[in-house]
Amino acid sequence: MNRPPINAKRVMIAATVLLLLASQLPAWLAVKLSYLPHAFIEFIATPATFLHGFSTSIRSTDKRYTKFSEELSLEEQLSLALQKLDEAKVYNDYLEQDIARLRNVSDNLALISALVDTEDISFVGAKVIGFNGNRKNPILTINIGSNDFVRDGLAVVWGADLVGKVVSTSVSTADVQLITAADTKLQVRITRPVIDPTVVPVPAYIQLSDDGRTFYTDEFPLDSPVQVGDLALLADESWQFRARGFIVGTVTEVGPHPDRPLLNQRVVIRPNRPLASVYGVIVLVPVE
């Protein structure tokens, strides 16, 4: 029978012989020989050290994760972990709010698409390059003008929201008067914020409040179906035809009329964003 040249028994015998021989060596020689395994390991580990250093140098430096120190007590580490958890919750809430806003914009755009025929207009984007700062007559200046087929009376929007109307133009710029100008009165249709063919929009005339930031109407009786969250869509015949259907604002308050609480409601409507702070707008330019 052929036996394997190396087996456990032979390894044991060889190890025992080596130990006996090593015990007979001078001390200085035994110490020197003992460093041979260390030198061998260091030699074979050198490439691994280089690769580890290279990996560390190209690795992402993301430091969002909390690193605990042994110098901190258990209570301090727990407090730090709870603090980071609170920060993560705040950030998560912000993301959820952002998603809700984007969904709202998407729903509004879908509503506008269903209500407004836009085949014969061109959406011309413009950058806001100035604001006069006048509360009673707020004017935005945009960087397009008659060379871009912009003319007085055209409606200006931001997404699905109505911003204002062009009131003067030059070759390369135009002035836009915001709908929050003093004494503004608009005819609107108030409807649900989602497409529902069973809901009939309610017509109303609204006017700017004294605060210069909201609109109101006192026309509705107590049994009116208008409710908080409804949208006020432009229906004014004095405006460009294709602007009708864009959003003037959202109903934020529905309550008894201050002077006729048993007969009428007061409905307050607020634009969906501060119009004076928009940085870009769209002009509804008719297709010639």
Side-chain angles (χ1 to χ4, degrees):
M1 180 183 294
N2 293 328
R3 295 183 179 180
I6 299 176
N7 54 37
K9 183 177 180 180
R10 292 182 179 182
V11 170
M12 182 69 70
I13 294 173
T16 303
V17 172
L18 288 175
L19 289 175
L20 289 174
L21 292 175
S23 65
Q24 303 301 316
L25 293 175
W28 63 271
L29 182 58
V31 171
K32 189 172 183 179
L33 290 175
S34 68
Y35 280 99
L36 289 176
H38 296 276
F40 177 73
I41 293 173
E42 182 179 0
F43 171 76
I44 64 174
T46 299
T49 304
F50 169 76
L51 292 175
H52 179 267
F54 178 73
S55 173
T56 303
S57 66
I58 65 174
R59 196 175 302 162
S60 172
T61 56
D62 191 351
K63 298 181 179 179
R64 291 177 298 174
Y65 302 102
T66 302
K67 293 183 178 180
F68 297 106
S69 172
E70 295 181 356
E71 299 177 356
L72 298 178
S73 66
L74 181 60
E75 291 78 8
E76 290 173 330
Q77 293 186 20
L78 179 59
S79 175
L80 182 59
L82 292 175
Q83 178 184 348
K84 295 297 182 181
L85 180 60
D86 290 339
E87 293 176 359
K89 288 180 178 178
V90 170
Y91 184 67
N92 183 66
D93 291 342
Y94 172 79
L95 290 178
E96 289 182 352
Q97 293 172 9
D98 206 27
I99 291 172
R101 285 193 293 267
L102 291 174
R103 285 176 177 169
N104 183 55
V105 170
S106 177
D107 292 342
N108 290 344
L109 290 174
L111 181 64
I112 293 300
S113 178
L115 297 177
V116 180
D117 183 5
T118 59
E119 292 183 358
D120 58 352
I121 61 173
S122 176
F123 294 88
V124 181
K127 181 180 179 181
V128 176
I129 58 175
F131 174 58
N132 67 352
N134 190 320
R135 177 181 173 183
K136 291 189 175 182
N137 187 32
I139 299 288
L140 297 179
T141 301
I142 58 177
N143 67 341
I144 59 175
S146 58
N147 281 350
D148 304 284
F149 305 102
V150 175
R151 62 174 184 263
D152 294 0
L154 296 185
V156 178
V157 301
W158 191 95
D161 297 303
L162 186 68
V163 173
K165 181 188 294 186
V166 176
V167 292
S168 67
T169 58
S170 67
V171 173
S172 58
T173 64
D175 289 338
V176 179
Q177 184 182 56
L178 302 182
I179 59 174
T180 51
D183 301 323
T184 296
K185 296 180 181 180
L186 299 170
Q187 184 179 5
V188 298
R189 292 180 300 164
I190 299 179
T191 186
R192 295 290 181 267
V194 294
I195 300 174
D196 187 348
T198 64
V199 175
V200 178
V202 181
Y205 285 93
I206 62 175
Q207 59 184 346
L208 192 72
S209 305
D210 293 337
D211 61 13
R213 295 187 296 272
T214 60
F215 296 88
Y216 73 94
T217 178
D218 297 329
E219 297 181 0
F220 296 112
L222 292 179
D223 59 353
S224 169
V226 176
Q227 60 189 26
V228 172
D230 286 353
L231 296 178
L233 309 179
L234 184 69
D236 202 306
E237 295 182 357
S238 66
W239 280 68
Q240 179 185 1
F241 178 70
R242 293 308 182 199
R244 301 173 199 173
F246 280 85
I247 300 171
V248 174
T250 301
V251 175
T252 57
E253 296 179 33
V254 177
H257 190 283
D259 300 324
R260 304 186 298 275
L262 300 180
L263 296 176
N264 294 95
Q265 293 179 333
R266 169 161 288 184
V267 176
V268 177
I269 297 166
R270 180 183 293 273
N272 291 333
R273 55 183 46 81
L275 301 179
S277 64
V278 295
Y279 54 86
V281 294
I282 295 173
V283 184
L284 305 185
V285 178
V287 176
E288 301 295 340

